[in-house]
Amino acid sequence: MVKNDKCFQTVSNIIMLFLCLLVVAPLLLLVMSSFTSESAIYQYGYNFWPKEFDLSAYQYLFREGSIFHSYLITIVVTLTGTVAGVLMTTLLAYALTVPELPGKGLITLYVLLTMLFSGGLVPSYMMWTKMFHIKNTLWALILPGLLCNGFNVMIARSYFVTNIPKELLESARVDGMTEFKIFAKIVIPISVPIVATLGFMQALYYWNDWQNSLYYITDSSLVGIQALLNNLLNDAQYLAKASALAGGSATTSSIPSMSTRMAIAVLGMLPMVCAYPFFQKYYVKGLTIGAVKG
């Protein structure tokens, strides 16, 4: 029996190691390609070790764009939006678990409907710009479509229902605690896994968002990192095509379009990749438990 367990453990470890390599290999290829010269990519293709080590892609990005300023904008937006979004999500999710909440069924239906339907881009744009006047403000990167997500609300609600004893909440109500005190002093301390999970998901949404910058921002000083990198990529591709049409060669052009794509991906994902290990243990537990229907 012990021998069978050891064999099973060994085979499982080998399979998991293989799966890890499948995940890590594309990331390693991406990073190495961003440090490879443009001519080497065209001549040898993508390799796990640069044939010709070159920093032209990063030099182009840091020379042509306000990378650090855009990083600062995105960090501020991500932190503000994540804190506000998690607070709104958990407050609404907890309210939907209170039995005496008036109109609880209608509110739940409304949350579910937001997961299935939306008003569309044009009505949303008109509402945010004409009614709320958030164009060319940091609020344009925080409010539209990201602050509260119906899917996250239902995950948090399921977690609260399945992991917080009803007897504990009832005892707190009998002792005279208000719902806000119960939420702050009992629910949140018990629900660290789902709060951390929602926080990481919310931060990921904000960090990767570029559409709000595209729709609502025309002031270059308010452009986030993802939108800036997307603009730089488009500029590099346009300049490379223009150079080729003017008689130059795409392979010998000074504009590193291929390696620039890889460098943009590295700069865009690096902060979230560094942050994920700190949230991993909560992320898996929170999603697993929160996805169970209450």
Side-chain angles (χ1 to χ4, degrees):
M1 188 68 178
V2 175
K3 185 177 180 180
N4 292 335
D5 291 341
K6 289 183 177 180
C7 291
F8 175 78
Q9 189 66 40
T10 302
V11 172
S12 299
N13 291 338
I14 293 174
I15 293 175
M16 291 303 299
L17 179 61
F18 177 72
L19 294 176
C20 289
L21 290 176
L22 290 179
V23 174
V24 173
L27 294 177
L28 180 61
L29 184 63
L30 175 71
V31 174
M32 292 296 103
S33 298
S34 69
F35 290 104
T36 305
S37 67
E38 192 80 0
S39 59
I41 292 179
Y42 276 101
Q43 184 175 356
Y44 304 106
Y46 299 103
N47 293 279
F48 286 102
W49 189 256
K51 294 288 185 179
E52 297 178 7
F53 187 83
D54 187 57
L55 295 175
S56 298
Y58 291 96
Q59 291 173 352
Y60 169 76
L61 292 178
F62 283 93
R63 181 178 68 250
E64 298 295 330
S66 304
I67 296 289
F68 296 108
H69 181 75
S70 294
Y71 261 120
L72 179 61
I73 292 292
T74 302
I75 289 172
V76 171
V77 169
T78 300
L79 291 177
T80 305
T82 299
V83 173
V86 171
L87 181 61
M88 288 183 61
T89 299
T90 51
L91 280 171
L92 178 55
Y94 173 68
L96 294 178
T97 65
V98 178
E100 299 82 9
L101 177 68
K104 177 181 175 181
L106 290 176
I107 297 174
T108 303
L109 178 62
Y110 174 78
V111 173
L112 292 174
L113 286 177
T114 62
M115 298 169 59
L116 303 175
F117 307 101
S118 67
L121 176 59
V122 174
S124 298
Y125 180 84
M126 293 176 63
M127 179 186 71
W128 291 117
T129 57
K130 302 299 182 182
M131 296 178 60
F132 293 96
H133 305 286
I134 65 170
K135 188 173 182 178
N136 283 327
T137 66
L138 285 180
W139 293 114
L141 303 177
I142 297 174
L143 296 178
L146 294 172
L147 194 57
C148 191
N149 183 282
F151 177 73
N152 292 346
V153 172
M154 299 313 296
I155 289 180
R157 175 186 174 276
S158 297
Y159 187 96
F160 294 156
V161 169
T162 56
N163 290 273
I164 300 178
K166 295 182 179 179
E167 295 78 10
L168 179 62
L169 300 179
E170 291 173 357
S171 299
R173 293 186 181 109
V174 169
D175 291 340
M177 292 185 68
T178 63
E179 295 296 338
F180 282 106
K181 283 188 177 181
I182 294 175
F183 174 79
K185 296 186 177 181
I186 297 178
V187 175
I188 292 300
I190 294 178
S191 307
V192 172
I194 193 62
V195 172
T197 299
L198 293 176
F200 182 75
M201 292 172 63
Q202 200 82 19
L204 194 61
Y205 294 154
Y206 277 105
W207 188 266
N208 290 330
D209 176 59
W210 58 271
Q211 291 183 320
N212 284 335
S213 291
L214 177 65
Y215 299 150
Y216 304 107
I217 300 297
T218 57
D219 185 354
S220 60
S221 64
L222 295 175
V223 172
I225 186 64
Q226 299 296 345
L228 176 66
L229 294 176
N230 185 61
N231 293 338
L232 291 176
L233 176 60
N234 293 333
D235 292 344
Q237 292 174 341
Y238 174 79
L239 292 174
K241 290 180 180 179
S243 176
L245 292 174
S249 173
T251 58
T252 58
S253 173
S254 60
I255 300 145
S257 60
M258 298 297 291
S259 55
T260 298
R261 296 179 187 179
M262 306 304 167
I264 285 174
V266 172
L267 292 177
M269 73 176 184
L270 186 61
M272 289 295 103
V273 171
C274 295
Y276 179 74
F278 299 99
F279 291 89
Q280 182 180 9
K281 62 178 180 179
Y282 300 115
Y283 189 75
V284 175
K285 183 178 179 181
L287 276 185
T288 302
I289 300 177
V292 179
K293 290 184 179 179

